[in-house]
Amino acid sequence: MGDPASEIIESVPAAGPEASEATTDENEDDIQFVSEGPSKSVLEYFDLVCGDNEEPSTCHSDILFPKMPKRQGDFLRFLNVKKVKTDTESNSKNRCGLSKSKESNFKYVEQPIIEENPSCSSKEETDNLVLPDCWNEKQAFMFTEQYKWLEIREGRLGCKDCSTVRHLGSKAEKHVHVSKEWIAYLVTPNGSNKTTRQASLRKKIREHDVSKAHGKIQDLLKESVNDSISDLVHKQNNKNIDATVKVFNTVYSLVKHNRPLSDIEGAIELQEKNGEVNCLNTRYSATRIAEHIAKEMKMKIFKNIVEENAKICIIIDEASTVSKKSTLMIYLQCTVQSAPAPVMLFVALKELVSTSAECIFNTILSSLNDCGFTNEYLKANLIAFCSDGANTILGRKAGVATKLLENFPKIIIWDCLNYRLQLSLDDSISEIKQVNHFKLFLDKIYSIYHQSNKNQNKLLETVAKDLEIEIIKIGWVMGPRWAACSLQAATAVWHAYPVLYMHFSNSYSGLAKRLANIHFLQDLALMIDILEELSLLSTALQSRSTNIQKAQKLIKRTIRALENLKIGTGKHESQIEGLIKSDKFKDIPFNKNNKYNALPRSMLIENIIEHMHLRLVSDRNHDESIFNYFDLLEPSTWPYEEITSPWIAGEKKLFHLCEILKYKIDLNDFREFVNNNIKSINVSIPTTIQKAKKIVNTIAINNAEAERGFNLMNIICTRVRNSLTIDHISDLMTINLLGKELADWDATPFVKSWSHCNHRLATDTRVRQKSTKAFYGNQLAIWNLQ
């Protein structure tokens, strides 16, 4: 259209056929409202624009009205936006005979709208106005006058009232919600031509104006006459957040106590009985909440780790779930400035598509990247990798460790010390045939009492319950298990020895003859004495406070204890003569059967010591032992008789130590550190030396933490809950391992982030309702008895 009046006419609702071309957004119903003619306010506006001396018919003839599009529904709010000069405005003619004076009068009418914002002048607001491409300035003014809630921002429409309140709160109803598009100023016209796009906007404005949600927003604003809008919104938000915090606390408590999330229905039912009404009361909501809490926890914790530029060590282990799915447990040990000792952090439990080295490597890398650890960060801060000795993981040709070294050079590849300790014991046993006879006997006992319930029940009838419990503890001995497990099995046989003989003498005569052989009792006592020493070492190595240097001291101490055992007699060996003569063993006819010879005692202990040196003390990953570099930070290991100030030999090693730790130790600090220890001056350790010692402690010496993680996984994923996905188990483990205790945990930040992710709060009735349990009339009838 050419002139301004015609442009205004285009924006007025009409019953012309063009209106049928109007389209709507995806979430709008295709409903059209037919107007019977222009409203009074529109006609008065035309009178104002066309002038008092001309008839309105002169300006809007009968020919023009049929061409006007139909009036249509809801429209979004309208903010401070920039003016775009359209071709229609630049080329328009004043068909109504609009004089310059009348144009100035139009601007005068527009003035109050502009002056509503006292922070900017009318010229500034006009210059900053950006309109929809199918509107001009006068059309925008007309609609914002008719719909006071309407605002425009960057050419899009929005509702200032809905944007202010945002949520219905106590007035919320099912299937009634505030439009996100109107809140966020995202409403735009649809259509391929100007007429259709104008009709689309009219429809959207009208539909939003008459919508039930918008009406409730208006009611809330009327109720806030005595309070400011900000106070009203603040009170309403606080009410919504407080209700949702209670639900989050309930879910958090269930997860921390390893309870099924379906228990939330009973917990919320109790809260409702006590007067609290919450709508997030199903296990589906609880699952989503647990996912959100776990995600936010990881995001916050690992973001802090990355910002601190902390050095990290990766710990992994592979195992299967109850549902026989191969999974990978990933942990990080890192140096945090505020913590005196390294911090162990659970990263994720991931399902493995295959157990190949390539798949495990990609799973590790993608999990770390998801937590914010980029490849650049890992190259600068990854210093070590620890796992068990499986060939897939630590294979020298194509293992996971090899792939890590290719991508992140100079990291320390560390075999789990507990695993290496067990291997040293297995290697020693495999070289002595007599020990294999002892192992086969114990494995036979295991198979008898773990494969037949009948045998277990029979044993329960014949022996005391405490002895039966000892029998059940008998497991595979000298196998691929840690030393403490082997000790538990051997000790169980020792305590149940007389009962086992009585039981086997009736059913298994061959096993009874072995128990009656005094050589077997001597071998059992010797193995228990050896395993006790190895178990003490294994337990000490599993401690979170044990670092590489302390581990070396513990290993050397155990070797000395075995050397003493080789010379002397062990605790259990010295008890054999007394036990044979005791009443407890009087029914066993001990003899020396040469068919089962005694173990070569000295050879066995010597082999164990030798293999411990090979597997635990020497470092096969480096040409020169890595401990020689770490000893620079431990004055107790220094050769003081060779040290002068400055210590030239130590400073040469210092450069290589800095490369290993990926951290620069100040040379002046090192010289001061050496000088103070030579003179035995008790002064504080220099800052860079302290940081270097922390980084050394970051290197994990075993994957015991991953083993603990698998124990927790088995507690969470029982046979009753084996429908849990691996990702869900990982989320529950994250909350359990990284989360604070319930008394110290604040749910409010998590609820706010939940709300910002457009999740529904506990006061929102538009959520899935919990299923109701049927209570039959017969059950109710007993309460009606008189």
Side-chain angles (χ1 to χ4, degrees), residues 1 57 61 72 84 110 113 170 185 247 337 465 487 531 556 582 597 623 742 758:
M1 288 188 161
S57 59
S61 65
Q72 302 192 10
V84 174
E110 213 174 15
I113 304 296
S170 59
Y185 292 76
V247 179
Q337 188 173 358
K465 188 173 181 180
L487 174 65
L531 288 172
K556 291 176 180 178
S582 68
N597 295 326
D623 296 332
L742 180 61
N758 294 323

Side-chain angles (χ1 to χ4, degrees), residues 415-662:
D415 300 19
C416 171
L417 282 180
N418 293 86
Y419 188 81
R420 287 154 66 178
L421 174 63
Q422 186 63 45
L423 290 179
S424 65
L425 178 61
D426 293 343
D427 292 344
S428 305
I429 290 171
S430 63
E431 297 176 3
I432 300 176
K433 294 181 179 179
Q434 290 88 337
V435 179
N436 288 334
H437 291 297
F438 175 76
K439 175 181 181 298
L440 290 173
F441 172 78
L442 295 181
D443 288 346
K444 180 66 175 177
I445 298 176
Y446 173 86
S447 63
I448 291 173
Y449 290 104
H450 285 74
Q451 295 179 8
S452 172
N453 291 330
K454 179 180 177 181
N455 287 315
Q456 291 187 21
N457 293 334
K458 188 174 181 180
L459 184 65
L460 281 170
E461 296 173 359
T462 56
V463 299
K465 188 173 181 180
D466 56 341
L467 291 180
E468 184 271 336
I469 293 172
E470 292 293 341
I471 293 295
I472 301 305
K473 290 180 181 177
I474 298 174
W476 297 99
V477 183
M478 318 318 170
R481 297 169 65 87
W482 289 0
C485 301
S486 298
L487 174 65
Q488 186 182 40
T491 306
V493 176
W494 177 267
H495 290 161
Y497 203 95
V499 179
L500 286 172
Y501 176 80
M502 292 174 59
H503 183 62
F504 290 150
S505 61
N506 298 325
S507 305
Y508 303 93
S509 58
L511 294 177
K513 289 180 180 179
R514 291 201 184 195
L515 289 173
N517 187 354
I518 195 170
H519 291 318
F520 181 86
L521 185 61
Q522 292 172 346
D523 293 346
L524 179 62
L526 173 62
M527 290 306 304
I528 292 176
D529 287 333
I530 293 173
L531 288 172
E532 275 190 344
E533 291 295 337
L534 299 181
S535 178
L536 283 174
L537 174 60
S538 178
T539 304
L541 293 177
Q542 294 176 51
S543 173
R544 291 185 174 97
S545 62
T546 303
N547 57 18
I548 285 183
Q549 292 158 314
K550 183 179 179 181
Q552 285 297 104
K553 294 177 182 178
L554 292 171
I555 292 168
K556 291 176 180 178
R557 187 179 67 186
T558 301
I559 290 173
R560 289 195 297 269
L562 291 174
E563 289 172 347
N564 294 334
L565 180 63
K566 178 183 174 183
I567 299 171
T569 304
K571 180 178 69 174
H572 288 80
E573 286 180 300
S574 61
Q575 297 176 12
I576 290 177
E577 292 185 7
L579 286 174
I580 293 175
K581 296 177 182 179
S582 68
D583 294 337
K584 192 176 179 181
F585 283 73
K586 65 180 181 180
D587 295 329
I588 304 176
F590 282 104
N591 59 78
K592 292 187 178 181
N593 189 342
N594 294 328
K595 184 178 179 180
Y596 304 109
N597 295 326
L599 295 174
R601 186 177 184 280
S602 298
M603 183 185 299
L604 174 62
I605 298 176
E606 186 63 38
N607 282 354
I608 292 174
I609 294 172
E610 181 182 350
H611 285 290
M612 285 184 68
H613 275 289
L614 291 174
R615 286 194 175 270
L616 298 173
V617 178
S618 63
D619 185 7
R620 50 198 181 88
N621 292 318
H622 301 272
D623 296 332
E624 186 177 357
S625 176
I626 196 173
F627 299 103
N628 291 336
Y629 297 114
F630 292 159
D631 286 345
L632 290 176
L633 305 176
E634 288 294 327
S636 60
T637 63
W638 291 352
Y640 283 94
E641 64 280 359
E642 301 175 6
I643 295 178
T644 58
S645 185
W647 185 16
I648 304 301
E651 291 179 5
K652 288 181 180 179
K653 291 182 179 180
L654 185 66
F655 173 76
H656 296 287
L657 178 62
C658 293
E659 284 189 333
I660 293 171
L661 301 182
K662 297 182 180 180

Side-chain angles (χ1 to χ4, degrees), residues 158-176:
C159 176
K160 78 172 100 174
D161 294 342
C162 294
S163 180
T164 301
V165 180
R166 302 183 72 86
H167 193 274
L168 295 176
S170 59
K171 292 186 176 292
E173 295 181 11
K174 194 172 184 179
H175 304 308
V176 178

Side-chain angles (χ1 to χ4, degrees), residues 32-78:
Q32 295 180 341
F33 297 86
V34 180
S35 175
E36 297 178 356
S39 63
K40 181 180 177 183
S41 59
V42 175
L43 291 177
E44 289 173 354
Y45 186 81
F46 275 112
D47 291 340
L48 175 63
V49 175
C50 296
D52 296 333
N53 297 327
E54 296 187 34
E55 293 294 330
S57 59
T58 310
C59 301
H60 41 87
S61 65
D62 294 335
I63 299 173
L64 292 176
F65 274 116
K67 295 182 180 179
M68 294 165 59
K70 292 180 186 176
R71 179 139 193 159
Q72 302 192 10
D74 284 354
F75 228 53
L76 295 188
R77 301 177 313 198
F78 176 144

